[in-house]
Amino acid sequence: MAAGTKPLSKRKKKQGAIPASKNGGLTAATADRHELYQFSVQNVETEIDFVDAEFERLRGRKAALLREDFCGTGNTSCEWVRRRDTNRAIGLDIDQPTLDWGHERNLAALTDSQRGRVSLVNRDVLAPGDAVGVDCVLAMNFSYWLFKTRDELRAYFRAVRESLGPDGVFFLDHYGGSEAMSEMVEKRDIETDDGRKFVYEWDQHRYRPVTGEMDCRIHFRFPDRTRMKNAFEYTWRLWMLPEIQELLVEAGFSKATVYWEGDELDEDGEPTGEGNGEFEPTDSGTADPAFVSYIAAIP
Ligand SMILES: C[S@@+](CC[C@H](N)C(=O)[O-])C[C@H]1O[C@@H](n2cnc3c(N)ncnc32)[C@H](O)[C@@H]1O
């Protein structure tokens, strides 16, 4: 036996596949990609915590009417109307099957009173029609990156600016850092509220430095060793924070503020490299390899 070679019987055995029947039936052929997305990508509670508190800090009152652009299944809108009896939400998206899923799953889970205060509308965010005069507009999970030129993004920002009431606020999120432009796959183990397990894979598949475009994909892996490949696919432009702030001002906003996440500290008070979920206004930020920040723009 060659030095260093372990006999087969002593090698670490590969873990066997866990049958879907032992994992609440979760398997690639039948899993619901929207449900998996909501469990792995979105955290609507923390998002709404930030929006609600920051709107009140900026405007000295509570927001009531929220518009969720690129709403998909309207998960954030549902969280908004759950927060207060006076809250109302309008979600805009152009994909009817996704809106239908939102009605059947997210809106159906609300009380009658909550459901009466949210509407999901099949409409282009560039032509919001009567979905105007709102307290806040949200463009989260980087959805506005589907606008790939300065002219397109400025036109969207202008449409938002014209949709806001006089003391409204536009909230966006942003993802950046050196890792944002590398081609890589990040995997995360997810466990649902009722104990079902799966792996979320964020695939930064292709980045084109000359155009700034990136192809991103989401895949899901299951403990029975099945995989749902390309459950979601996006081609985006990776926008940088200064460009976004400049375009917001060019679109008529008077001010755009970037909020940076603080560091989680270990028991010795040293940063762990993870964020702590607390976002504070900043003029500079830090050269973190990957960061998510919020932006608030006011007319
Ligand atoms: C990445 S998903 C975002 C889902 C959700 N906002 C979230 O936070 O996870 C992007 C959504 O934008 C929608 N969309 C794309 N172009 C749009 C447009 N011009 N107007 C409205 N919705 C659009 C797509 O149908 C899709 O549901």
Side-chain angles (χ1 to χ4, degrees):
M1 195 186 302
T5 309
K6 287 192 183 129
L8 197 61
S9 58
K10 293 261 175 82
R11 279 197 193 136
K12 195 175 172 206
K13 289 213 180 76
K14 246 185 153 180
Q15 253 200 344
I18 299 170
S21 57
K22 294 218 162 123
N23 189 36
L26 220 47
T27 184
T30 55
D32 184 326
R33 68 190 185 114
H34 292 300
E35 186 186 34
L36 303 175
Y37 179 93
Q38 291 192 172
F39 275 119
S40 47
V41 176
Q42 294 187 308
N43 190 336
V44 295
E45 293 86 1
T46 52
E47 199 170 282
I48 290 298
D49 285 348
F50 174 79
V51 165
D52 206 17
E54 203 48 35
F55 184 93
E56 188 171 10
R57 202 187 64 78
L58 289 166
R59 296 311 196 191
R61 69 175 178 92
K62 295 260 188 218
L65 179 56
L66 173 145
R67 192 177 90 198
E68 181 189 5
D69 282 358
F70 316 99
C71 70
T73 61
N75 201 13
T76 306
S77 294
C78 290
E79 178 62 19
W80 181 248
V81 298
R82 274 195 293 266
R83 289 288 166 114
R84 273 190 299 281
D85 291 350
T86 46
N87 280 2
R88 291 178 297 131
I90 309 165
L92 302 185
D93 201 287
I94 50 172
D95 189 60
Q96 192 58 45
T98 304
L99 292 168
D100 291 343
W101 193 99
H103 276 281
E104 284 156 25
R105 296 289 298 273
N106 290 337
L107 270 73
L110 299 174
T111 66
D112 289 346
S113 147
Q114 292 164 349
R115 199 175 314 111
R117 290 182 279 109
V118 55
S119 53
L120 304 185
V121 184
N122 186 335
R123 200 172 292 167
D124 193 319
V125 296
L126 292 172
D130 60 359
V132 293
V134 300
D135 291 329
C136 38
V137 171
L138 271 56
M140 295 296 188
N141 273 320
F142 332 115
S143 305
Y144 61 97
W145 287 5
L146 60 87
F147 297 119
K148 297 199 200 112
T149 66
R150 290 177 57 89
D151 285 348
E152 284 171 1
L153 191 57
R154 192 189 305 104
Y156 168 57
F157 288 168
R158 196 166 283 138
V160 173
R161 164 75 190 81
E162 286 163 8
S163 302
L164 289 171
D167 68 346
V169 183
F170 179 29
F171 291 98
L172 314 79
D173 60 4
H174 175 266
Y175 162 51
S178 53
E179 283 180 10
M181 53 187 77
S182 55
E183 294 176 352
M184 58 184 238
V185 181
E186 184 197 302
K187 298 182 186 177
R188 206 154 27 90
D189 291 328
I190 309 285
E191 184 165 347
T192 65
D193 299 338
D194 54 2
R196 291 171 294 157
K197 293 180 179 159
F198 66 94
V199 176
Y200 160 79
E201 295 183 353
W202 172 245
D203 179 0
Q204 293 180 182
H205 200 71
R206 173 111 201 264
Y207 176 64
R208 300 175 192 84
V210 172
T211 62
E213 276 179 309
M214 63 193 286
D215 300 331
C216 299
R217 298 171 184 180
I218 293 175
H219 323 289
F220 299 108
R221 260 180 210 281
F222 303 94
D224 67 353
R225 294 228 183 102
T226 59
R227 184 171 186 240
M228 190 188 287
K229 195 175 169 197
N230 299 335
F232 295 91
E233 296 180 66
Y234 312 102
T235 296
W236 279 339
R237 170 160 166 184
L238 180 64
W239 288 94
M240 301 291 142
L241 281 168
E243 301 174 299
I244 295 168
Q245 293 168 84
E246 286 162 12
L247 286 168
L248 285 164
V249 171
E250 288 173 28
F253 287 91
S254 64
K255 192 168 177 227
T257 304
V258 176
Y259 297 75
W260 208 259
E261 191 175 9
D263 291 316
E264 189 184 76
L265 303 178
D266 64 18
E267 60 264 23
D268 300 323
E270 296 297 323
T272 61
E274 297 294 320
N276 66 1
E278 306 286 328
F279 289 81
E280 298 292 339
T282 180
D283 287 333
S284 59
T286 48
D288 302 331
F291 55 82
V292 172
S293 49
Y294 286 118
I295 306 164
I298 53 177

